Amino acid sequence: MSLEALLSRLHKVKGKGGSFVACCPAHPDKSPSLAIRQADERILLHCFAGCSVLDIVGAIGMEMGDLFQEEKKWHRQKPIKRTFYATDLLKIIDREALIVVVAAIDMAGGKKLNETDSDRLRVAAQRIEEAVRYSNG
């Protein structure tokens, strides 16, 4: 699928060239939080609210393979193992801990978390656990 076809399925698209932002279709979004970029033969997506790429493409009726111009070539590539430095891990933990703190303050104030917030809290906990596990070797 082309970048233009993907952008036509999104709302509040801004940008030019190969980099854009838009409202994320995977969560209630009032202002653009989804970054879209064309890179080589693939389209890269990143939701700053934490939605997975699978959730994003599913919300607009696409599949993961639609993000790649040559799907067969993608499947033949070996997975890349990323090396995280301590500063990377601390940034991950810091960002996700903020989500946990906000949720804790809300709950302490008697606010019940909605499904979206509960799901995001679970993601934050998983990411913190993964970062700690990765740091322990």
Side-chain angles (χ1 to χ4, degrees):
M1 174 174 284
S2 70
L3 178 61
E4 294 77 21
L6 170 75
L7 295 175
S8 71
R9 296 178 182 208
L10 301 172
H11 299 286
K12 295 186 181 180
V13 177
K14 297 176 187 174
K16 59 183 176 180
S19 295
F20 299 86
V21 292
C23 289
C24 178
H27 75 273
D29 205 0
K30 293 180 182 176
S31 62
S33 65
L34 177 64
I36 307 110
R37 187 165 62 98
Q38 179 80 48
D40 300 320
E41 296 180 356
R42 62 188 182 265
I43 299 169
L44 304 175
L45 303 174
H46 176 74
C47 175
F48 290 97
C51 297
S52 73
V53 175
L54 192 58
D55 289 340
I56 295 166
V57 295
I60 55 176
M62 294 175 55
E63 296 179 358
M64 291 294 286
D66 294 329
L67 300 176
F68 305 94
Q69 290 179 4
E70 220 178 291
E71 189 175 348
K72 292 179 185 175
K73 181 179 178 182
W74 170 255
H75 289 296
R76 283 189 235 133
Q77 292 178 342
K78 292 181 180 178
I80 298 170
K81 181 174 181 182
R82 179 166 180 208
T83 301
F84 287 97
Y85 296 98
T87 54
D88 295 327
L89 295 172
L90 288 174
K91 286 177 187 175
I92 292 168
I93 292 169
D94 181 58
R95 184 183 68 226
E96 300 304 325
L98 180 61
I99 301 296
V100 174
V101 168
V102 169
I105 290 170
D106 284 349
M107 291 185 307
K111 181 180 176 188
K112 183 172 168 58
L113 297 181
N114 62 33
E115 186 177 341
T116 302
D117 292 341
S118 294
D119 290 345
R120 183 59 182 95
L121 184 58
R122 276 191 280 284
V123 169
Q126 289 170 349
R127 288 178 179 168
I128 291 169
E129 288 176 15
E130 289 172 11
V132 170
R133 196 169 35 251
Y134 187 92
S135 70
N136 291 332

